């Protein structure tokens, strides 16, 4: 009678790693805010400080929210797949929107100050990350969220989707590291090598970004932490298999 009354607990260690990722993510945002507030004059839109909107939005959108969107399937292990999928897509969509604001900020700031665009390695990697991220999101919605893609097409595309999900987080973090270095070389080139507080704080931000990526990556790649399929999903995929492979659903019973 009591079968399936309580969902199985999360695997040992998963909650600790997820908590660590969130702590690192919030520390990341705090450190970015502290750097911009304490040393770069803060953040404002229509002002010389418009550029500072860029690093803040990129860390929030392309790193923290992107990482959290990837963790959705590990955290919400027993909710229905449809609602988990919707949350996954929603968080990625929000990350894209925030990143877009960050990109507009840097282009507008450059235009106001007469600085050329898109010549640095940081800008190339960053733009590649954003465009690929947008493409990944659109394909993900097309294949998994909206009905239409066949089961076999979905299962063929899924490994690519999963791989690029992790790869894009790596690329986003790499672009952030290049951006931090570039900002320091533009602003404190003379004193950077003297271990001035701003340099140390920004370097610390870089180390935190790497740590966040490592923790999220670890959670995502542990096989035994993958979301277990719910009973109805298993039944559904068996039905799908039978329909697509043309065997009789009864299996000869």
């Amino acid at each position: 009678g009591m079968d399936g009354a309580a969902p199985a607990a999360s695997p040992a260690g998963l909650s600790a790693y997820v908590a660590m990722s969130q702590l690192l993510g919030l520390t990341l945002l705090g450190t970015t805010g502290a750097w911009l507030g304490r040393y770069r004059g803060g953040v404002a839109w229509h002002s010389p400080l418009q550029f500072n909107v860029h690093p803040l939005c990129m860390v929030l959108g392309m790193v923290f929210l992107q990482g959290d969107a990837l963790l959705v399937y590990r955290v919400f292990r027993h909710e229905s797949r449809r609602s988990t999928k919707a949350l996954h897509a929603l968080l990625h969509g929000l990350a894209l929107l925030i990143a877009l604001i960050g990109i507009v900020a840097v282009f507008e700031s450059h235009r106001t100050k007469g600085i050329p665009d898109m010549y640095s390695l940081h800008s190339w990697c960053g733009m590649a990350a954003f465009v690929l991220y947008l493409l990944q999101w659109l394909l993900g919605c097309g294949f998994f969220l909206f009905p239409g893609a066949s089961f076999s097409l979905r299962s063929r595309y899924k490994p690519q989707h999963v791989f690029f999900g992790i790869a894009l987080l790596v690329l986003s973090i790499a672009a952030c590291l290049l951006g931090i270095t570039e900002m320091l070389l533009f602003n404190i080139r003379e004193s950077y090598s003297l271990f001035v507080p701003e340099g140390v704080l920004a370097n610390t931000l870089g180390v935190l970004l790497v740590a966040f990526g490592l923790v999220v990556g670890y959670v995502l790649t542990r096989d035994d932490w993958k979301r277990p399929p719910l009973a109805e999903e298993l039944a559904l995929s068996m039905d799908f298999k039978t329909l697509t492979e043309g065997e009789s659903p009864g299996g000869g019973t």
Side-chain angles (χ1 to χ4, degrees):
M2 291 305 287
D3 235 23
S10 286
L14 173 60
S15 305
Y17 272 91
V18 169
M20 201 195 318
S21 74
Q22 297 314 287
L23 197 61
L24 279 167
L26 293 171
T27 310
L28 267 180
L29 293 175
T31 309
T32 309
W35 177 23
L36 298 173
R38 176 89 177 72
Y39 298 103
R40 294 287 122 225
V43 172
W45 192 258
H46 289 297
S47 85
L49 298 174
Q50 185 175 22
F51 174 84
N52 293 347
V53 173
H54 176 72
L56 191 61
C57 282
M58 285 353 223
V59 169
L60 174 57
M62 295 296 287
V63 180
F64 186 41
L65 285 177
Q66 182 178 178
D68 273 5
L70 296 177
L71 290 174
V72 158
Y73 286 108
R74 301 294 176 274
V75 176
F76 300 102
R77 305 175 66 75
H78 307 288
E79 281 67 21
S80 85
R81 192 159 188 87
R82 179 157 266 303
S83 51
T84 313
K85 212 187 278 187
L87 180 62
H88 177 72
L90 193 70
L91 281 173
H92 277 313
L94 186 60
L96 274 164
L97 191 65
I98 291 170
L100 183 62
I101 294 169
I103 289 173
V104 170
V106 75
F107 277 109
E108 282 201 359
S109 161
H110 279 181
R111 202 183 61 230
T112 318
K113 296 176 182 170
I115 299 170
D117 291 315
M118 296 303 301
Y119 66 89
S120 69
L121 181 57
H122 163 65
S123 61
W124 288 19
C125 289
M127 193 53 85
F130 180 76
V131 171
L132 290 171
Y133 190 33
L134 177 61
L135 194 63
Q136 163 93 340
W137 186 69
L138 292 171
L139 283 170
C141 288
F143 274 96
F144 303 115
L145 204 58
F146 305 118
S150 75
F151 185 71
S152 63
L153 200 57
R154 282 181 184 195
S155 45
R156 271 208 295 274
Y157 172 62
K158 193 182 170 186
Q160 278 90 298
H161 185 74
V162 170
F163 169 78
F164 280 106
I166 296 177
L168 283 168
L169 182 65
V170 172
L171 180 57
S172 301
I173 290 172
C176 285
L177 297 179
L178 289 166
I180 290 169
T181 305
E182 196 174 291
M183 234 173 119
L184 290 172
L185 291 177
F186 278 138
N187 292 314
I188 58 164
R189 181 178 311 205
E190 306 307 318
S191 58
Y192 187 19
S193 61
L194 305 174
F195 288 91
V196 290
E198 180 177 355
V200 173
L201 183 67
N203 286 356
T204 304
L205 173 58
V207 173
L208 287 168
L209 282 160
V210 171
F212 178 78
L214 288 172
V215 172
V216 171
Y218 181 68
V219 172
L220 292 175
T221 51
R222 275 264 313 240
D223 269 347
D224 52 333
W225 287 357
K226 288 206 164 81
R227 173 192 162 101
L230 304 178
E232 68 263 25
E233 290 163 21
L234 278 173
L236 193 65
S237 77
M238 282 315 296
D239 286 350
F240 257 126
K241 217 170 159 55
T242 334
L243 288 170
T244 50
E245 291 173 9
E247 295 156 9
S248 69
T253 51

